[in-house]
Amino acid sequence: MDTFFGLVSGLELLSASVQNTSNASYLYWVLLSIICPHLLTIRERISLGKKGDPVSAEALNHLFHRVKRIIDTSIELENGSLSHFEVLTALAFALFAQENVDIAVVEAGLGGARDATNVLRSSGLAAAVITTIGEEHLAALGGSLEGIAMAKSGIIKRGRPLVMGGPFKTNIEWILHQKASLMSSPVVSACDPGIQTILNGFERKTDIPYQSCDILIQVEKDLQLFIKLYDVRLRMLGYHQLQNAVTATCAALCLRNQGWKVSDESIRAGLEHTYLLGRCQFLTREEIEMIGLSGISILIDGAHTEASAKGLSDTIRMTYPDAPWALVVAMASDKDHLAFARQLLSGRLPKVVLLTEVSIGGGKSRMTSASSLKDAWIQAVMDLGIKFCDIGMGGLENQSGFSNGLSEYGPDLIIGCQVGSVEDSMKIASQLLAASTENQSGLIVVTGSLHIISSVLASLRR
């Protein structure tokens, strides 16, 4: 096994770029580990081979039983405190070694400095990649953005390049640069003045939407990176994904600088083929019909922080600038519900917000009730001075005469809550949207947690 990428925050675009690192005479065997919440199966957390497919159940089962004795011993030595994440990380690294991979992409789970994945030596690290610094896991990582930056900078290794995504606040960028300087690590920033990006537009002529982008990189400081890619068709949508694409391209170019044969065509193919369930994903017409709806578009996205809510809001504005839209939201109890709501209400205003509930990993204590969530959204609405109508619990069937008089009453926003399946919530949101817009074709956005997205995707499999 030759080379690792260490990274914090999601960077699936880098993974695909590396997986497509090839030319006619040179192929690399890649094992990619993206340790983040899975949606349908735990196998999603470890992808193996050039196609980026999840590791097979057979391979994972065989590997687990091969190392089970070592895991049992480790649990004993740690007095039973070995975590699920630590075991999975160990399994991923064991698979790296077993398959003798050339390149591995490893995402830190929580922070960086003390994360289970942060056992890589500088001699085996191609680059450390820090995409963003946000407030998620604030309490666990020092209680401040500065503390989070210090924790994430722990993946920087002596003499190995640091690729920074950003944009970062000035004080956060200073912390990362200081750590890189201390480790004698060259720095490449995706916000370098020598990098130009153009978002040409959004296309949805088929069930596979994409955004056309130009990525022009000419970096001279610390490392010399150069590439010009025109009309790159990203399936990962939004301005934030364009920034991720630039960050991934910079990381791939770092590989090129280290002697790996990474062609421009490979980088383009990696960027264009990357697709991740539940991240600004538009359901197909067939999938929408499976839910029991028609004549409407559905977008599902696992946004659950203030920053990701902004990214989602920007994407909605880009893809559906004029159509009326509705939100279906469920969230975990440890998220900032008020900041999330304010961000989504500060962009193009939805016509309907329907709050619901979904099972959250970690048990009922992590689930926010629909009524509590509605209280937070009403507070946000009132803070922003938005005229709204609270319809209480349930859908139109509980609102006598509501359907006929809704468009005449004319609130800017309808808020309600519903306890039941996510499919039922989407149907009620569709009813409310139709009633408030005189049956205009619109968009339903399901968001707030990867767990509600998992529920939608699981319903499509049933």
Side-chain angles (χ1 to χ4, degrees), residues 118 120-122 125 128 153-162 175-187:
N118 195 26
L120 310 178
R121 296 179 180 177
S122 58
L125 187 70
S153 71
I155 69 167
I156 302 171
K157 304 297 181 184
R158 184 163 298 279
R160 309 313 297 156
L162 166 64
I175 290 171
L176 299 179
H177 273 284
Q178 282 295 105
K179 182 59 180 287
S181 177
L182 184 66
M183 303 301 287
S184 301
S185 297
V187 177

Side-chain angles (χ1 to χ4, degrees), residues 87-380:
V87 171
L88 193 63
T89 300
L91 287 173
F93 285 161
L95 199 53
F96 292 161
Q98 175 182 297
E99 300 297 333
N100 194 31
V101 300
D102 293 306
I103 302 169
V105 181
V106 182
E107 182 181 16
L110 184 65
R114 293 181 292 173
D115 190 76
T117 60
N118 195 26
V119 294
L120 310 178
R121 296 179 180 177
S122 58
S123 59
L125 187 70
V129 183
I130 300 179
T131 58
T132 58
I133 303 289
E135 292 187 353
E136 192 169 19
H137 309 304
L138 196 66
L141 296 174
S144 67
L145 283 179
E146 291 80 5
I148 292 175
M150 288 296 296
K152 290 193 173 188
S153 71
I155 69 167
I156 302 171
K157 304 297 181 184
R158 184 163 298 279
R160 309 313 297 156
L162 166 64
V163 178
M164 294 169 48
F168 301 101
K169 293 181 178 179
T170 303
N171 60 327
I172 299 302
E173 188 166 341
W174 184 85
I175 290 171
L176 299 179
H177 273 284
Q178 282 295 105
K179 182 59 180 287
S181 177
L182 184 66
M183 303 301 287
S184 301
S185 297
V187 177
V188 175
S189 171
C191 298
D192 187 281
I195 297 176
Q196 292 182 306
T197 59
I198 301 172
L199 184 51
N200 299 315
F202 170 76
E203 291 288 342
R204 198 187 180 196
K205 295 177 180 176
T206 67
D207 274 336
I208 305 176
Y210 66 86
Q211 58 186 18
S212 170
C213 312
D214 297 338
I215 299 174
L216 314 175
I217 297 176
Q218 186 168 353
V219 174
E220 304 289 344
K221 186 180 179 182
D222 284 10
L223 295 174
Q224 292 188 337
L225 308 179
F226 177 81
I227 195 170
K228 288 186 177 181
L229 298 172
Y230 295 98
D231 190 27
V232 180
R233 300 184 175 190
L234 296 179
R235 294 178 65 187
M236 304 287 282
L237 304 176
Y239 295 100
H240 60 297
Q241 293 296 359
L242 174 54
Q243 185 68 11
N244 276 343
V246 173
T247 307
T249 302
C250 288
L253 292 174
C254 284
L255 273 181
R256 180 188 288 179
N257 278 7
Q258 294 170 31
W260 294 86
K261 296 182 180 179
V262 186
S263 68
D264 291 3
E265 292 77 15
S266 296
I267 294 174
R268 174 187 289 276
L271 297 176
E272 292 190 337
H273 292 164
T274 301
Y275 177 69
L276 197 64
L277 290 173
R279 274 72 167 185
C280 284
Q281 175 187 348
F282 282 95
L283 298 189
T284 65
R285 185 179 304 173
E286 182 182 1
E287 289 169 335
I288 292 170
E289 289 173 354
M290 288 172 65
I291 293 170
L293 293 170
S294 62
I296 199 161
S297 298
I298 297 178
L299 171 64
I300 60 175
D301 185 79
H304 52 274
T305 65
E306 184 179 6
S308 57
K310 184 181 186 309
L312 175 58
S313 181
D314 290 343
T315 302
I316 293 168
R317 189 183 301 112
M318 177 185 73
T319 56
Y320 278 80
D322 302 313
W325 65 291
L327 270 168
V328 175
V329 182
M331 299 187 76
S333 58
D334 57 349
K335 306 308 176 187
D336 190 338
H337 306 144
L338 190 58
F340 186 81
R342 282 176 178 156
Q343 188 60 248
L344 282 171
L345 293 170
S346 297
R348 196 168 74 78
L349 196 66
K351 285 286 187 181
V352 176
V353 175
L354 190 67
L355 294 315
T356 187
E357 300 171 2
V358 69
S359 296
I360 303 286
K364 285 190 175 180
S365 62
R366 290 197 64 221
M367 181 183 75
T368 305
S369 70
S371 58
S372 295
L373 206 53
K374 189 181 76 168
D375 290 342
W377 278 77
I378 287 178
Q379 181 62 57

Side-chain angles (χ1 to χ4, degrees), residues 34-81:
I34 297 192
I35 314 266
C36 61
H38 59 269
L39 292 173
L40 295 172
T41 168
I42 195 172
R43 296 187 295 107
E44 295 169 24
R45 298 185 180 220
I46 304 175
S47 300
L48 179 63
K50 291 186 174 299
K51 293 183 178 179
D53 294 330
V55 61
S56 70
E58 182 182 8
L60 190 59
N61 185 57
H62 176 76
L63 175 66
F64 176 78
H65 284 96
R66 183 168 67 83
V67 301
K68 185 177 183 300
R69 182 180 57 80
I70 300 172
I71 293 173
D72 289 341
T73 302
S74 299
I75 292 173
E76 223 174 288
L77 291 172
E78 295 290 335
N79 296 318
S81 63

